[in-house]
Amino acid sequence: WLEVKGARLLPVIFRRLRQKLGHAQLTIAGTGVAGDVVLGDFDPGDRDHVRVVPGPLDAAAIRDTYRAHGVFFMPSLSEGSPLSLLEAMAAGAAVVAARIGGIPDIVRDGVDGLLFDPAAPEAAADALSRVLDDPALARLLGQSARQRACGFTWNATATSIEQAVRSLFSEKNQSA
């Protein structure tokens, strides 16, 4: 339950989402802190709509959680290339994530998920509302996300790095 992962932003976004969609439910997994600590950051009217799973989950439980929920939300303020994002995409979850760090390199906005400015909680709530209100959109984003995640393999990564290094050396040799 870290600030950099959006811990202080998430309750604000969820409050706005619940104002739009009173039925919205939220599961927060892998916080590393007790559920009552996490719930304490939420508006009292939202707490009954938030489930906290503090401990680490094994791979099967993570996969089942992503599939059961269908939408993966990442309000981080800083990220590299988050494994949890790739796991959710591989499980076919529709993604709503902050446009920060390496996330836009993974998620194509409007294709594999919806991206929002991390400093704009209203935009995050709007994006979540859009996906939750439109099951067909959520399904399309989830299918695209699953296909996209299949391209992020170790072999594909190694090939990409090799191409970048070759290109760099080629440019250096041309300028010498």
Side-chain angles (χ1 to χ4, degrees):
W1 192 236
L2 302 171
E3 179 102 16
V4 73
K5 296 295 185 178
R8 299 296 165 245
L9 192 58
L10 183 56
V12 173
I13 294 168
F14 191 62
R15 171 89 298 257
R16 290 181 178 186
L17 177 63
R18 291 239 322 114
Q19 289 167 346
K20 294 171 185 295
L21 301 175
H23 64 277
Q25 299 286 317
L26 175 65
T27 298
I28 305 170
T31 62
V33 298
D36 59 336
V37 172
V38 174
L39 289 174
D41 289 338
F42 284 81
D43 183 275
D46 294 335
R47 292 177 187 159
D48 287 343
H49 300 272
V50 178
R51 178 176 163 244
V52 180
V53 182
L57 301 174
D58 64 29
I62 291 170
R63 193 172 38 256
D64 291 345
T65 299
Y66 292 142
R67 287 184 181 144
H69 289 76
V71 177
F72 177 77
F73 181 57
M74 180 167 269
S76 297
L77 301 175
S78 177
E79 284 291 348
S81 297
L83 182 58
S84 59
L85 176 64
L86 289 168
E87 291 170 339
M89 291 172 69
V95 170
V96 177
R99 187 181 287 106
I100 196 83
I103 293 172
D105 295 329
I106 298 170
V107 178
R108 298 169 296 184
D109 191 23
V111 178
D112 311 307
L114 301 179
L115 300 178
F116 63 91
D117 179 341
E122 189 63 37
D126 288 347
L128 279 167
S129 177
R130 187 172 159 212
V131 172
L132 292 170
D133 257 355
D134 188 345
L137 174 63
R139 195 170 29 264
L140 285 172
L141 293 174
Q143 289 168 349
S144 181
R146 181 181 297 127
Q147 291 172 349
R148 177 91 167 144
C150 289
F152 289 96
T153 65
W154 287 115
N155 284 341
T157 301
T159 299
S160 177
I161 292 170
E162 179 183 10
Q163 289 172 347
V165 169
R166 287 182 189 272
S167 175
L168 180 65
F169 280 117
S170 176
E171 289 174 15
K172 281 192 160 210
N173 286 338
Q174 289 176 2
S175 65

